[in-house]
Amino acid sequence: FVIDMNIFRNLQTLIGKNSNNINQIAKKVNSTGIIYREDIEDLKKENDDISKEIIRIQNILSRKYINKFM
């Protein structure tokens, strides 16, 4: 069973970017008391990207698992 680790590196990058953006927004909100709709939409998009990547990984692993036993 060979796993392409690039998939996991990509996921780690997406999660890191999302975490960074959350921290920046938290700092902004704490200092100004204001959060912008655009910031929230960006976070939603990043979370969607992460979810899609996780589903893609699950599909790849499922296919490898099923093929192994067929």
Side-chain angles (χ1 to χ4, degrees), residues 7-60:
I7 296 168
F8 295 101
R9 286 186 200 102
N10 186 31
L11 181 59
Q12 186 175 5
T13 299
L14 290 171
I15 291 170
K17 287 180 180 180
N18 196 28
S19 296
N20 186 45
N21 287 340
I22 289 171
N23 287 336
Q24 288 178 359
I25 291 169
K27 287 178 185 177
K28 194 184 308 183
V29 169
N30 285 332
S31 66
T32 65
I34 298 170
I35 187 167
Y36 296 98
R37 181 177 304 270
E38 181 180 289
D39 291 335
I40 294 171
E41 293 302 321
D42 287 345
L43 287 177
K44 285 181 183 179
K45 185 194 176 307
E46 288 173 2
N47 281 328
D48 287 345
D49 291 345
I50 291 168
S51 295
K52 287 176 188 173
E53 190 67 17
I54 289 170
I55 290 168
R56 191 170 81 85
I57 291 168
Q58 289 172 331
N59 288 336
I60 290 168

